[in-house]
Amino acid sequence: MICLFGGTFDPIHSGHLHAAIEVCEELGVDSIRLVLSARPAHRDVTSATIEQRWGMLQLACGDDERLLPDDGEVHRSGPSFTVATLAAMHEQHPDDSLVWVIGSDAYALLPQWYEWQRVASLASLVVLQRPGHDLELSPQMRAFTAARQVTELTDSSVGQVLVLASVMQSVSAEEIRTILAEGGSADHLLPAAVATYISQHGLYGGISDP
Ligand code: ATP
């Protein structure tokens, strides 16, 4: 089983790391790939550059060997489509089942993703219940979920949906960007190395270290 957790990571924060480790423990896997959505197709431009977000992702994963930063989408041109990432991963590892980890906010909007039905057939989906983002699903997503939901993933299958019971941290990148733009400190919401990087590079409207 190969677990992938994608995001714009603008910036990567403690909530992401906590979620990734929780997934490893709950699913009993040794590692999880954190895939940088380099050029996200379904949202506005990012604040930090691809290189900066990739730099922060590498730093954030540095302290825990279970966390593997993945730059597959950095090297692909055009919008970062999850379906392309999963298809490439399937080609490289045809004997492994794929798991795509996704927060409840993003899951509710899955039908907006490019070839979303194919995304959900190339991998099983593990949904994280983010505080403040109850799983309020459209009728379409409710039916989709009901048809695929399981209480435990079957190792060899794809196309399943597992809603993880684990409690997630109430942290978002947007909140961090807002705090920093207002001149505050978000260090308590960030891995230490990422907080240092942000301050050294003066990202998100913060004052850069001399
Ligand atoms: P923004 O606030 O800019 O939308 P974000 O904090 O949601 O950013 P993303 O990089 O957009 O971060 O998220 C990547 C993935 O991580 C998404 O599936 C998202 O739902 C999930 N995620 C983000 N924050 C958390 C959290 N605190 N707990 C669990 N999952 C999270």
Side-chain angles (χ1 to χ4, degrees):
M1 186 185 284
I2 299 177
C3 281
L4 306 110
F5 184 26
T8 47
F9 302 133
D10 188 19
I12 181 140
H13 52 67
S14 308
H16 293 128
L17 299 191
H18 169 259
I21 288 162
E22 199 65 29
V23 168
C24 286
E25 285 172 3
E26 286 296 317
L27 301 190
V29 292
D30 293 338
S31 63
I32 180 166
R33 290 171 185 255
L34 282 86
V35 182
L36 184 69
S37 176
R39 299 166 201 86
H42 59 281
R43 58 183 286 164
D44 296 340
V45 285
T46 56
S47 185
T49 64
I50 295 175
E51 290 71 24
Q52 290 165 340
R53 289 182 288 123
W54 173 241
M56 291 188 281
L57 178 55
Q58 286 176 287
L59 287 171
C61 294
D63 283 342
D64 192 321
E65 59 188 17
R66 291 170 293 183
L67 307 177
L68 310 176
D70 186 316
D71 63 352
E73 294 182 4
V74 173
H75 301 299
R76 203 174 319 120
S77 57
S80 305
F81 292 129
T82 300
V83 71
T85 299
L86 292 174
M89 193 56 76
H90 177 62
E91 219 174 279
Q92 287 161 26
H93 304 275
D95 297 331
D96 288 305
S97 55
L98 304 179
V99 172
W100 186 260
V101 178
I102 184 169
S104 46
D105 54 319
Y107 181 70
L109 301 176
L110 193 65
Q112 295 178 11
W113 291 22
Y114 181 66
E115 293 192 0
W116 73 281
Q117 305 266 17
R118 209 170 140 231
V119 168
S121 63
L122 280 164
S124 283
L125 302 175
V126 167
V127 183
L128 311 169
Q129 303 186 73
R130 291 180 70 176
H133 296 279
D134 290 345
L135 263 190
E136 278 168 21
L137 300 176
S138 64
Q140 179 190 29
M141 279 306 284
R142 259 204 308 263
F144 171 86
T145 306
R148 291 168 176 75
Q149 193 163 2
V150 293
T151 50
E152 206 173 316
L153 290 182
T154 317
D155 194 11
S156 54
S157 305
V158 286
Q160 304 171 324
V161 172
L162 174 68
V163 180
L164 222 61
S166 313
V167 176
M168 295 293 130
Q169 292 180 354
S170 176
V171 186
S172 76
E174 186 180 17
E175 174 194 358
I176 291 169
R177 292 194 299 272
T178 303
I179 292 173
L180 294 173
E182 290 171 352
S185 168
D187 289 5
H188 57 298
L189 305 174
L190 294 161
V194 173
T196 304
Y197 183 100
I198 289 174
S199 137
Q200 280 173 347
H201 291 77
L203 299 185
Y204 308 113
I207 315 289
S208 59
D209 272 355

